[in-house]
Amino acid sequence: MDDPRTLLLHGQWFRQLPFSVQDSLLALGRSRTLAAGQCLFQRGDAPCGLYAVLEGAMRVGAVSPEGKEALLTLVESPHWFGEISLFDGQPRTHDAYAEGTTRLLWIPQAPLLDWLAREPGHWRDLALLMSHKLRWVFVALEQQSLLAAAPRLAHRLLQIAEGYGERDVAQWHLQISQEQLALMLSLSRQTINQILRNLEQSGVVRLGYGEVEIVDAPRLRALAAHPG
């Protein structure tokens, strides 16, 4: 089992932090392991700190009173999450559940705030983490409005493979189901299935149970760049 620093150094945000900040975050951190389907926090819960995914994935989204699910993203290693409530002290905005057995680095809220009170200059480091997420949200909103279903799906597959710009090496074998993609993109599962089948027949992807393998990234990028 790799140590947290080794895993987190694969992420651009953590890798670009000063060594002293990396050391401080790791010293404050505690290891947590969640079973598949276990809840970490729900919308409306009080802030509990900052998290990084070391192994596995977290399902972040919400469920309406009518039972309709909105899946925002699957958070995988080496991503950090939970920083919004660190800044404003307000309740959690979404639910977070373990997609499978998941290992996290947890930095509790109180000691993290104490450290930032002693070292206020490091608030900017945390702000850079949040600003990266905000940029991604703006891109996703733009795609929702401007892109047809096929290029929107192509773009999201590439984003997942590249860790939304955070992962230093792309992972072309994606552990994600068609249902999850449908929830992320607000499309029907039938639409997702048809697009993926067309891509498979064209040799762009290879489909398996609960997984999509990108075998021709340049052609997928060409599709993602075509708005219609």
Side-chain angles (χ1 to χ4, degrees):
M1 182 182 295
D2 290 335
D3 69 277
R5 184 189 294 272
T6 299
L7 294 168
L8 294 173
L9 284 173
H10 289 294
Q12 293 188 26
W13 178 73
F14 186 79
R15 187 171 63 245
Q16 292 172 1
L17 292 174
F19 291 136
S20 60
V21 178
Q22 293 180 9
D23 289 341
S24 296
L25 292 175
L26 292 170
L28 292 172
R30 306 177 188 176
S31 179
R32 289 194 63 177
T33 299
L34 304 181
Q38 185 175 347
C39 178
L40 179 64
F41 54 74
Q42 292 181 299
R43 171 179 284 179
D45 284 353
C48 51
L50 186 66
Y51 294 89
V53 179
L54 303 177
E55 296 174 353
M58 296 299 300
R59 184 185 185 103
V60 178
V63 178
S64 73
E66 295 76 27
K68 183 178 180 180
E69 181 180 6
L71 178 60
L72 179 63
T73 188
L74 290 176
V75 184
E76 299 178 296
S77 178
H79 280 259
W80 294 75
F81 66 101
E83 70 279 357
I84 293 177
S85 292
L86 174 67
F87 275 86
D88 62 16
Q90 297 299 305
R92 293 296 187 186
T93 59
H94 292 86
D95 307 330
Y97 287 85
E99 181 66 14
T101 302
T102 301
R103 186 163 68 100
L104 303 172
L105 180 71
W106 171 40
I107 305 179
Q109 187 95 342
L112 181 54
L113 288 174
D114 287 344
W115 174 68
L116 288 167
R118 297 192 303 272
E119 304 284 349
H122 296 315
W123 273 109
R124 182 180 184 276
D125 295 315
L126 276 300
L128 290 175
L129 176 63
M130 189 163 64
S131 67
H132 173 80
K133 304 276 186 67
L134 188 58
R135 286 178 180 273
W136 172 78
V137 169
F138 285 151
V139 170
L141 289 173
E142 179 181 325
Q143 292 171 350
Q144 191 84 5
S145 299
L146 300 180
L147 296 185
R152 186 147 43 107
L153 174 57
H155 202 283
R156 180 58 66 95
L157 290 173
L158 289 167
Q159 286 181 318
I160 295 170
E162 296 166 349
Y164 298 95
E166 173 66 12
R167 190 181 296 130
D168 53 3
V169 177
Q171 296 180 4
W172 302 118
H173 203 129
L174 312 181
Q175 299 296 321
I176 190 165
S177 69
Q178 294 183 24
E179 179 184 1
Q180 289 168 338
L181 287 168
L183 289 170
M184 285 182 183
L185 296 170
S186 298
L187 296 169
S188 71
R189 189 184 181 283
Q190 291 77 11
T191 298
I192 294 292
N193 179 265
Q194 184 61 57
I195 297 171
L196 288 175
R197 291 298 177 190
N198 291 341
L199 291 173
E200 185 176 45
Q201 290 173 7
S202 301
V204 178
V205 303
R206 185 179 297 116
L207 304 179
Y209 181 75
E211 60 186 28
V212 178
E213 182 182 0
I214 299 172
V215 296
D216 193 336
R219 289 174 63 193
L220 194 63
R221 291 188 199 284
L223 175 60
H226 193 285

